[in-house]
Amino acid sequence: MTEHIIVEDEDSTRTITMRRPEKKNTLTQEMYLTMSDAIDSAQSNPAIRCLILTGRSGVFTAGNDIGDFLQAATEKHEAARPRNAVIFLQSLVNNKKPIIAAVDGIAIGIGTTMVFHCDYVVASTTASFSSPFIQYGLVPDGATSLLVPQMVGHQRAFSMLVMGRPMTAEDARTAGFVNMVVPPGHAVVEARKVAREICALPADAVAIARKLLKLPTEDLVRRIGQEDHFFGERMRSPEAIAAFQNFFLRKKR
């Protein structure tokens, strides 16, 4: 467990909140495991009908802690990629309950990845979505190479996943992966309204319909494995290590 993740159950909804304000809610290995556990434990709890993913302090998440990337990339063992991120992504894929993203501020890297696994997305006008993996010499993760082209089309997916161009909340709504745009600070409030609406529906019918709408779990798990293989290879590449080091040099200036 970590103090950087808050898990709250209210009525029939579990809210998972990322809270590491001094680091823009960047995700540590412990945070991944805590979120994974919060998702997994909800699966066998009939009292939990819906999940909400959100962040504190006007930020969703700035993504993976680059320090973890650099440490993993320079360690002398085969499994260079931080594995806890993959465990978390697998929890998202295997989750069987409706999940809502409430996005205030930036959603970078895996922050955007997790949004594409959600069933309903509420974003504030300050929200932005970006997947700058290629700029760091890496590749897309979390089955986004499968999900994003299907959701927004190949051209938008290329712009986002390969070129690393960010999308505003309005851009994302136009592209089709954000349902509604609200004023800053209102994303969680609106997400809870949506959760109450979902929880009022027949649970079994919701579960079956949701499964029919989603890509097959085995396809997503297989793609995560493929991406993770390339991600691990790329993380140990000289250009990726240089990009991580340059990130910290820029921060010192």
Side-chain angles (χ1 to χ4, degrees):
M1 299 297 288
T2 171
E3 72 276 12
H4 296 310
I5 299 294
I6 304 168
V7 180
E8 299 171 298
D9 294 345
E10 183 178 349
D11 298 327
S12 299
T13 300
R14 172 164 293 178
T15 302
I16 303 167
T17 306
M18 297 168 281
R19 182 191 64 177
R20 197 185 177 205
E22 73 281 5
K23 296 289 187 178
K24 297 183 180 179
N25 297 341
T26 53
L27 299 167
T28 65
Q29 299 305 295
E30 292 77 16
M31 291 169 74
Y32 283 127
L33 286 185
T34 302
M35 289 194 294
S36 178
D37 181 67
I39 294 169
D40 293 347
S41 61
Q43 305 307 303
S44 59
N45 186 347
I48 303 300
R49 297 274 305 278
C50 198
L51 303 169
I52 295 174
L53 275 175
T54 191
R56 283 270 179 95
S57 305
V59 176
F60 191 63
T61 172
N64 200 98
D65 191 308
I66 299 296
D68 279 352
F69 273 168
L70 182 58
Q71 180 181 347
T74 52
E75 286 179 352
K76 302 298 183 183
H77 60 79
E78 189 65 24
R81 190 182 181 196
R83 295 296 304 172
N84 292 355
V86 179
I87 292 171
F88 167 64
L89 291 167
Q90 289 170 341
S91 293
L92 283 175
V93 168
N94 290 314
N95 167 56
K96 294 178 173 58
K97 302 197 175 186
I99 185 164
I100 303 163
V103 184
D104 255 322
I106 57 174
I108 298 175
I110 199 168
T112 289
T113 296
M114 67 178 81
V115 167
F116 279 102
H117 286 278
C118 292
D119 301 291
Y120 198 101
V121 181
V122 182
S124 77
T125 53
T126 62
S128 65
F129 304 87
S130 61
S131 298
F133 295 109
I134 304 299
Q135 285 92 325
Y136 286 97
L138 303 172
V139 296
D141 70 349
T144 49
S145 62
L146 186 64
L147 289 169
V148 180
Q150 185 206 42
M151 290 186 185
V152 306
H154 172 81
Q155 289 77 13
R156 281 196 180 108
F158 187 89
S159 173
M160 193 173 198
L161 297 180
V162 179
M163 300 175 72
R165 290 182 176 177
M167 278 195 184
T168 66
E170 285 295 344
D171 290 338
R173 179 163 64 175
T174 300
F177 68 91
V178 163
N179 294 83
M180 60 189 303
V181 178
V182 299
H186 286 70
V188 172
V189 174
E190 293 300 325
R192 285 176 178 151
K193 291 179 183 177
V194 173
R196 286 194 292 272
E197 182 180 347
I198 294 170
C199 290
L201 298 169
D204 289 345
V206 168
I208 293 169
R210 180 182 182 274
K211 183 176 181 179
L212 291 169
L213 290 171
K214 303 283 278 186
L215 287 172
T217 300
E218 55 270 24
D219 291 352
L220 295 171
V221 170
R222 187 181 307 114
R223 184 57 62 93
I224 286 176
Q226 291 170 343
E227 291 169 341
D228 189 47
H229 170 75
F230 290 117
F231 202 107
E233 286 188 342
R234 294 301 309 154
M235 181 174 281
R236 296 187 294 274
S237 69
E239 60 185 1
I241 293 172
F244 302 150
Q245 292 169 336
N246 287 337
F247 172 84
F248 289 107
L249 286 175
R250 291 195 303 268
K251 288 188 67 175
K252 290 178 181 178
R253 291 171 184 165

